[in-house]
Amino acid sequence: MTIVLYVVISILCINLILSLYRFVKGPVMPDRIVALDVFAGNLLAILALYAIVSDVREFIDIAVLFSLIAFAGTMTFAYYMVYTGKKKD
Amino acid sequence: MLITWCIPAKKKISIMTLLEIISSVFIITGTFFMLISSIGLIRLPDFYIRNSASTKALALGIGLILFGIVVYYNQIEIFIELSAIFFFIYLITPLSAHIIARAAAKSDVKFWEKTQNLQALEEYRKASDVEENSIPEENKK
């Protein structure tokens, strides 16, 4: 099981780097929001899987709180884009 | 009696290896979907396509990984906590993707040149103008 977990965690770390490519390149602002969303999701999965590798039970509680904060941040971003993005003539 | 004692004992598979095998299957398919989501962020041609594809694959991948972890631990407290995350992610991810796409359509983000049926988008945009429909009248000045 540890071999599978090591391989899986390294694949998820590669996903973090790939989402950062879109964060840097993204020609539009919403591209960066989606890249952060994907980044947060991969980080959540790494956090939950690390709880099995290290036998520390509390990482799953940390994962619960992290998902709440990360997705709330994404929604706040989008809310501000809707209400302050338009230019007033 | 002699013949039955000469037959070698059947190899037993413990419950731990069975749980490990089942959870490994779920975790590996979950990471496969998350890899598809990340590759889709790089290769797809337009913002709207990237938004839709990567958030959907992300939610599915996280769901499968969490289910694999639940199967591995085999306890009820872990199941309750991880099903709370599961419920929250499946509630919030499509909602935030929709809000971001709608905000981008308001801010005139370009479409891919091969999209069809942009006439329907113009009608939708006129029918559901955000600023006029949702600000209460006493706040408009």
Side-chain angles (χ1 to χ4, degrees):
Chain A
M1 186 69 175
T2 50
I3 296 178
V4 170
L5 283 176
Y6 287 156
V7 168
V8 160
I9 289 180
S10 46
I11 292 178
L12 291 176
C13 290
I14 291 175
N15 283 355
L16 293 181
I17 298 174
L18 294 181
S19 81
L20 282 180
Y21 171 77
R22 181 53 63 189
F23 183 81
V24 164
K25 183 180 175 188
V28 197
M29 184 63 181
D31 272 326
R32 299 187 170 102
I33 301 176
V34 169
L36 279 182
D37 202 8
V38 171
F39 190 92
N42 286 304
L43 200 55
L44 174 69
I46 290 177
L47 206 53
L49 286 173
Y50 191 70
I52 301 181
V53 165
S54 73
D55 272 337
V56 175
R57 197 58 79 83
E58 281 77 16
F59 276 114
I60 294 181
D61 306 333
I62 296 175
V64 175
L65 290 172
F66 177 75
S67 75
L68 288 168
I69 292 174
F71 288 105
T74 304
M75 298 227 355
T76 312
F77 237 135
Y79 179 88
Y80 273 114
M81 267 194 65
V82 168
Y83 280 103
T84 63
K86 288 192 88 68
K87 297 177 191 162
K88 294 190 179 159
D89 295 332
Chain B
M1 272 293 259
L2 248 166
I3 298 176
T4 56
W5 285 117
C6 285
I7 298 173
K10 248 200 301 188
K11 249 193 173 173
K12 288 190 182 162
I13 303 176
S14 69
I15 187 82
M16 260 337 265
T17 50
L18 198 60
L19 285 177
E20 285 181 8
I21 291 171
I22 295 176
S23 68
S24 304
V25 167
F26 280 109
I27 289 176
I28 288 174
T29 51
T31 56
F32 176 65
F33 278 110
M34 294 185 77
L35 191 66
I36 286 179
S37 155
S38 294
I39 291 178
L41 263 188
I42 292 181
R43 297 260 306 165
L44 290 170
D46 184 21
F47 161 67
Y48 298 96
I49 303 177
R50 280 194 288 260
N51 184 20
S52 169
S54 50
T55 51
K56 287 177 178 116
L58 182 78
L60 182 67
I62 288 180
L64 284 174
I65 290 180
L66 292 180
F67 190 71
I69 295 176
V70 162
V71 166
Y72 179 78
Y73 271 113
N74 204 12
Q75 293 178 12
I76 194 78
E77 300 103 5
I78 305 287
F79 172 70
I80 292 174
E81 290 185 27
L82 291 182
S83 66
I85 302 182
F86 181 87
F87 172 74
F88 184 77
I89 285 179
Y90 271 62
L91 188 67
I92 295 296
T93 311
L95 191 67
S96 73
H98 172 73
I99 289 179
I100 289 174
R102 188 167 160 159
K106 283 279 158 197
S107 307
D108 294 326
V109 172
K110 273 188 308 182
F111 282 84
W112 189 36
E113 59 262 9
K114 290 185 191 173
T115 50
Q116 298 166 359
N117 208 4
L118 281 176
Q119 181 68 27
L121 176 71
E122 287 300 318
E123 291 167 10
Y124 171 74
R125 209 187 273 198
K126 280 171 195 160
S128 68
D129 206 356
V130 170
E131 285 182 329
E132 291 181 8
N133 287 350
S134 58
I135 299 178
E137 287 179 358
E138 55 201 11
N139 288 345
K140 273 193 217 171
K141 279 175 189 175

